[in-house]
């Protein structure tokens, strides 16, 4: 898939105010500082479509972007470790769950995980929550340029071992790097295939 156009549509904290269109949606979510904004910019070949920040927890709203005039990329707030007040965290955790519960346009979620770290309970809990609520998702391992191929293999293997304690099979996954565009075509082709299947 070639991304010819990518435009910001709306930011909000109220799921009811998300775009009313029936266009398919793909939601990107992950722990704070996992490299979500960089990944979105890399996928869309836009430098500043999503705001990147050295501070975890920058995204605190549901951000919709219209891609190629025919699908929405949704940038959701990170979970965990964001340096925001407890009440702010509660508020956006609530609208994350509301988003997943109410958006019928959602085709699948992409859960971003930093490949350099061992499987984190917060990521596993979130993926289990998605599974329990029947929400399809893929894992996107980020920052793969920071590891050698053997280490990537080992870390993905660690994830498989842990995931298979809860899941019948390892969920679909991608290995990416925003700095060298690794995995870009794989993710976009996957989305293109899902879009074709909806026609």
């Amino acid at each position: 898939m070639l991304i010819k156009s990518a435009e910001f549509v709306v930011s909000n904290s109220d799921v009811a105010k998300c775009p009313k269109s029936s266009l398919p949606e793909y939601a990107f979510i992950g722990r704070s500082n996992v490299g979500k904004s960089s990944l979105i910019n890399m996928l869309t070949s836009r430098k500043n479509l999503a705001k990147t920040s050295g501070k975890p927890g920058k995204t605190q709203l549901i951000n919709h972007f219209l891609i190629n005039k025919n699908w929405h990329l949704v940038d959701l707030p990170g979970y965990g470790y964001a340096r925001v007040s407890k009440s702010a965290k509660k508020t956006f955790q609530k609208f994350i769950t509301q988003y997943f519960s109410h958006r019928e346009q959602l085709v699948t979620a992409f859960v971003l995980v930093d490949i350099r770290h061992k499987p984190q309970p917060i990521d596993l809990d979130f993926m289990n929550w998605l599974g329990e609520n029947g929400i399809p998702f893929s894992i996107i391992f980020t920052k793969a340029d920071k590891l050698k191929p053997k280490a990537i293999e080992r870390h993905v293997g660690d994830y498989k071992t842990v995931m298979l304690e809860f899941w019948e099979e390892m969920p679909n996954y991608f290995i990416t790097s925003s700095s060298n565009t690794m995995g870009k075509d794989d993710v976009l082709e996957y989305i293109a295939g899902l879009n074709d299947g909806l026609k």
Side-chain angles (χ1 to χ4, degrees), residues 59-176:
T59 310
Q60 292 179 23
L61 295 165
I62 302 168
N63 296 307
H64 274 74
F65 300 95
L66 180 62
I67 310 295
N68 287 352
K69 311 274 187 212
N70 66 2
W71 57 278
H72 281 123
L73 184 157
V74 186
D75 181 9
L76 291 172
Y79 48 81
Y81 311 122
R83 288 196 192 114
V84 293
S85 68
K86 270 199 179 140
S87 61
K89 195 175 285 191
K90 257 202 179 121
T91 304
F92 66 73
Q93 299 299 46
K94 188 176 162 197
F95 69 68
I96 288 171
T97 52
Q98 284 179 339
Y99 171 84
F100 283 115
S101 308
H102 298 301
R103 283 307 272 178
E104 288 172 11
Q105 297 91 330
L106 178 71
V107 178
T108 193
F110 291 99
V111 179
L112 277 61
V113 170
D114 187 331
I115 198 162
R116 297 172 301 173
H117 305 309
K118 283 189 161 36
Q120 304 287 315
I122 192 165
D123 293 322
L124 299 167
D125 289 349
F126 183 69
M127 289 188 261
N128 286 338
W129 180 86
L130 290 173
E132 284 157 12
N133 286 275
I135 297 154
F137 72 92
S138 294
I139 300 169
I140 291 186
F141 289 105
T142 62
K143 309 190 182 185
D145 59 291
K146 311 278 194 226
L147 294 178
K148 293 199 161 70
K150 277 271 181 270
I152 290 173
E153 222 172 276
R154 198 168 61 246
H155 286 221
V156 171
D158 290 346
Y159 248 89
K160 282 182 179 165
T161 304
V162 176
M163 294 292 287
L164 293 176
E165 291 173 19
F166 308 96
W167 297 78
E168 282 179 28
E169 56 185 6
M170 175 71 176
N172 185 40
Y173 67 88
F174 301 91
I175 294 166
T176 70

